[in-house]
mmCIF file of all heavy atoms in Angstrom:
data_model
loop_
_atom_site.group_PDB
_atom_site.id
_atom_site.type_symbol
_atom_site.label_atom_id
_atom_site.label_comp_id
_atom_site.label_asym_id
_atom_site.label_seq_id
_atom_site.Cartn_x
_atom_site.Cartn_y
_atom_site.Cartn_z
ATOM 1 N N PHE A 22 -28.803 -24.421 13.552
ATOM 2 C CA PHE A 22 -28.850 -25.887 13.727
ATOM 3 C C PHE A 22 -30.355 -26.208 13.359
ATOM 4 O O PHE A 22 -31.304 -25.843 14.040
ATOM 5 C CB PHE A 22 -28.669 -26.240 15.258
ATOM 6 C CG PHE A 22 -27.174 -26.142 15.561
ATOM 7 C CD1 PHE A 22 -26.730 -25.262 16.510
ATOM 8 C CD2 PHE A 22 -26.284 -27.035 15.005
ATOM 9 C CE1 PHE A 22 -25.364 -25.187 16.870
ATOM 10 C CE2 PHE A 22 -24.932 -26.924 15.318
ATOM 11 C CZ PHE A 22 -24.469 -26.034 16.155
ATOM 12 N N VAL A 27 -28.738 -19.915 15.592
ATOM 13 C CA VAL A 27 -27.935 -19.859 16.862
ATOM 14 C C VAL A 27 -26.946 -18.666 16.936
ATOM 15 O O VAL A 27 -26.841 -18.085 17.923
ATOM 16 C CB VAL A 27 -27.285 -21.182 17.091
ATOM 17 C CG1 VAL A 27 -26.420 -21.142 18.283
ATOM 18 C CG2 VAL A 27 -28.364 -22.310 17.317
ATOM 19 N N PRO A 46 -25.830 -15.263 28.633
ATOM 20 C CA PRO A 46 -26.508 -16.321 29.338
ATOM 21 C C PRO A 46 -26.468 -17.615 28.671
ATOM 22 O O PRO A 46 -26.117 -17.785 27.489
ATOM 23 C CB PRO A 46 -27.978 -15.705 29.345
ATOM 24 C CG PRO A 46 -27.992 -14.774 28.252
ATOM 25 C CD PRO A 46 -26.631 -14.296 28.037
ATOM 26 N N SER A 47 -26.893 -18.664 29.428
ATOM 27 C CA SER A 47 -26.797 -20.084 28.887
ATOM 28 C C SER A 47 -27.653 -20.187 27.611
ATOM 29 O O SER A 47 -28.726 -19.623 27.482
ATOM 30 C CB SER A 47 -27.347 -20.980 29.926
ATOM 31 O OG SER A 47 -27.150 -22.297 29.590
ATOM 32 N N GLY A 48 -27.021 -20.775 26.587
ATOM 33 C CA GLY A 48 -27.772 -20.998 25.338
ATOM 34 C C GLY A 48 -27.704 -19.913 24.322
ATOM 35 O O GLY A 48 -28.295 -20.028 23.288
ATOM 36 N N CYS A 49 -26.939 -18.844 24.667
ATOM 37 C CA CYS A 49 -26.933 -17.700 23.690
ATOM 38 C C CYS A 49 -26.059 -17.880 22.448
ATOM 39 O O CYS A 49 -25.982 -17.151 21.532
ATOM 40 C CB CYS A 49 -26.507 -16.408 24.449
ATOM 41 S SG CYS A 49 -24.877 -16.395 24.876
ATOM 42 N N GLY A 50 -25.194 -19.048 22.444
ATOM 43 C CA GLY A 50 -24.392 -19.309 21.348
ATOM 44 C C GLY A 50 -22.914 -19.190 21.524
ATOM 45 O O GLY A 50 -22.098 -19.274 20.606
ATOM 46 N N LYS A 51 -22.399 -19.061 22.772
ATOM 47 C CA LYS A 51 -21.039 -18.789 23.011
ATOM 48 C C LYS A 51 -20.114 -19.939 22.632
ATOM 49 O O LYS A 51 -19.139 -19.777 21.845
ATOM 50 C CB LYS A 51 -20.720 -18.577 24.583
ATOM 51 C CG LYS A 51 -21.566 -17.380 25.093
ATOM 52 C CD LYS A 51 -21.386 -17.248 26.669
ATOM 53 C CE LYS A 51 -21.738 -18.413 27.523
ATOM 54 N NZ LYS A 51 -23.176 -18.686 27.607
ATOM 55 N N THR A 52 -20.553 -21.164 23.106
ATOM 56 C CA THR A 52 -19.666 -22.309 22.687
ATOM 57 C C THR A 52 -19.710 -22.593 21.184
ATOM 58 O O THR A 52 -18.721 -22.935 20.595
ATOM 59 C CB THR A 52 -20.222 -23.543 23.426
ATOM 60 O OG1 THR A 52 -20.086 -23.310 24.810
ATOM 61 C CG2 THR A 52 -19.455 -24.899 23.086
ATOM 62 N N THR A 53 -20.892 -22.384 20.588
ATOM 63 C CA THR A 53 -20.962 -22.504 19.144
ATOM 64 C C THR A 53 -19.917 -21.591 18.418
ATOM 65 O O THR A 53 -19.238 -22.019 17.534
ATOM 66 C CB THR A 53 -22.407 -22.142 18.658
ATOM 67 O OG1 THR A 53 -23.272 -23.056 19.367
ATOM 68 C CG2 THR A 53 -22.587 -22.370 17.166
ATOM 69 N N GLU A 168 -15.617 -21.846 29.297
ATOM 70 C CA GLU A 168 -16.024 -22.020 30.629
ATOM 71 C C GLU A 168 -14.869 -22.608 31.576
ATOM 72 O O GLU A 168 -15.073 -23.698 32.154
ATOM 73 C CB GLU A 168 -17.312 -22.818 30.859
ATOM 74 C CG GLU A 168 -18.498 -22.163 30.128
ATOM 75 C CD GLU A 168 -19.398 -21.428 31.091
ATOM 76 O OE1 GLU A 168 -18.982 -21.157 32.192
ATOM 77 O OE2 GLU A 168 -20.384 -20.997 30.550
HETATM 78 P P1 LIG B 1 -23.935 -22.633 27.842
HETATM 79 O O1 LIG B 1 -23.461 -21.465 28.554
HETATM 80 O O2 LIG B 1 -25.177 -23.177 28.441
HETATM 81 O O3 LIG B 1 -22.854 -23.623 27.389
HETATM 82 P P2 LIG B 1 -23.808 -21.401 25.161
HETATM 83 O O4 LIG B 1 -24.025 -19.896 25.110
HETATM 84 O O5 LIG B 1 -22.353 -21.836 24.999
HETATM 85 O O6 LIG B 1 -24.599 -22.057 26.317
HETATM 86 P P3 LIG B 1 -24.271 -23.035 22.791
HETATM 87 O O7 LIG B 1 -23.755 -24.301 23.459
HETATM 88 O O8 LIG B 1 -23.485 -22.401 21.804
HETATM 89 O O9 LIG B 1 -24.694 -22.064 23.985
HETATM 90 O O10 LIG B 1 -25.715 -23.309 22.295
HETATM 91 C C1 LIG B 1 -26.591 -22.391 21.623
HETATM 92 C C2 LIG B 1 -27.809 -23.067 21.146
HETATM 93 O O11 LIG B 1 -27.465 -23.989 20.155
HETATM 94 C C3 LIG B 1 -28.535 -23.856 22.342
HETATM 95 O O12 LIG B 1 -29.958 -23.753 22.144
HETATM 96 C C4 LIG B 1 -28.165 -25.334 21.924
HETATM 97 O O13 LIG B 1 -29.137 -26.240 22.459
HETATM 98 C C5 LIG B 1 -28.066 -25.265 20.415
HETATM 99 N N1 LIG B 1 -27.073 -26.233 19.928
HETATM 100 C C6 LIG B 1 -25.756 -26.323 20.187
HETATM 101 N N2 LIG B 1 -25.018 -27.209 19.480
HETATM 102 C C7 LIG B 1 -26.064 -27.872 18.724
HETATM 103 C C8 LIG B 1 -26.040 -28.953 17.894
HETATM 104 N N3 LIG B 1 -24.919 -29.678 17.582
HETATM 105 N N4 LIG B 1 -27.194 -29.330 17.342
HETATM 106 C C9 LIG B 1 -28.390 -28.701 17.587
HETATM 107 N N5 LIG B 1 -28.492 -27.599 18.460
HETATM 108 C C10 LIG B 1 -27.328 -27.214 19.108
#
Side-chain angles (χ1 to χ4, degrees):
F22 286 115
V27 172
S47 186
C49 71
K51 306 181 294 295
T52 298
T53 303
E168 300 263 6

